[in-house]
Amino acid sequence: MSLSRAPRRTLLAVGILSAALALSACSSDSNGKSGGGGTNFVTNTGGISTVAKGEREAPNAIAGETLEGGKLDLADLKGKVVVLNVWGSWCPPCRAEAPNFTKVANDLKAKGAEFVGINTRDFNKQPALAFEEDYEVPYPSLYDPHGKLILNGFPKGTLNPQAIPSTVVLDKEGKIAARSLMALDEKKLRSMIEPLLAEK
């Protein structure tokens, strides 16, 4: 292989990866079906994938700085059902689902559900902070402009976020239990959380 071909191949690989990411960004797919790479999960007709209790895996470390400049570590939320929502202020489906997340987060907090956003591809925090203010978002969001938490936080073969918006729900043991790759209405969002709140 000549030296002049190596950079071209690298650029081609980067171009293909960028195109794949662009296709997955800001998904409004109504069925939410995905290959996911996992082996022990089921996607129902509503586009929500779930894993049976005994087959769930924990995510890798997901921790960092919030949009407001605080520190947040998901490990500190063990014992709660944790709803992770991947979003960007530039994403129309994220705006469409935001009122549902605000309502359900407020309704279910007292029952043991904690919501955490993962804000991505907002390279300036101001639009993301304005989004949170506009939709009265009552929970913090980790600031992940380059998607490092999204890429590194979920083991291969688990229900990982593959689109924007994506929602991943962790059970009380901190294990990955459910995922959606689409904007969620209130009913679908509750359907991902309430069975996990009822688990013993």
Side-chain angles (χ1 to χ4, degrees):
M1 173 176 65
S2 73
L3 290 177
S4 63
R5 286 189 177 176
R8 269 189 247 150
R9 286 184 181 166
T10 302
L11 285 173
L12 181 61
V14 168
I16 291 169
L17 179 60
S18 297
L21 288 172
L23 287 172
S24 68
C26 216
S27 167
S28 59
D29 181 2
S30 62
N31 65 20
K33 290 185 178 176
S34 164
T39 54
N40 297 318
F41 64 88
V42 175
T43 301
N44 69 22
T45 56
I48 296 168
S49 302
T50 58
V51 182
K53 189 171 182 180
E55 299 173 357
R56 298 172 189 161
E57 290 184 50
N60 298 325
I62 299 178
E65 182 180 315
T66 66
L67 279 170
E68 292 77 16
K71 297 291 180 191
L72 183 96
D73 187 339
L74 287 193
D76 296 337
L77 300 177
K78 203 166 182 182
K80 306 272 189 180
V81 171
V82 178
V83 181
L84 296 170
N85 179 243
V86 178
W87 65 278
S89 67
W90 44 268
C91 166
C94 300
R95 291 194 290 275
E97 73 177 2
N100 303 320
F101 276 76
T102 294
K103 182 176 189 323
V104 176
N106 285 326
D107 288 352
L108 297 183
K109 185 168 181 67
K111 295 182 179 179
E114 290 288 340
F115 281 59
V116 175
I118 300 179
N119 171 258
T120 191
R121 299 191 198 169
D122 274 313
F123 298 104
N124 177 342
K125 285 185 178 182
Q126 291 313 309
L129 289 167
F131 178 105
E132 288 189 330
E133 185 176 342
D134 289 346
Y135 293 103
E136 300 177 355
V137 177
Y139 50 86
S141 283
L142 289 162
Y143 184 51
D144 188 29
H146 300 287
K148 291 179 182 176
L149 294 175
I150 298 165
L151 289 174
N152 301 323
F154 300 86
K156 187 174 181 179
T158 62
L159 295 178
N160 50 26
Q162 298 176 352
I164 302 166
S166 284
T167 302
V168 175
V169 184
L170 309 182
D171 65 17
K172 294 173 188 174
E173 296 176 2
K175 294 182 177 179
I176 301 166
R179 177 194 65 187
S180 171
L181 300 176
M182 61 186 175
L184 293 168
D185 61 22
E186 182 181 343
K187 182 179 178 183
K188 285 187 177 179
L189 180 56
R190 287 180 181 275
S191 77
M192 294 177 73
I193 304 165
E194 290 172 346
L196 298 173
L197 288 172
E199 285 183 352
K200 298 298 181 194

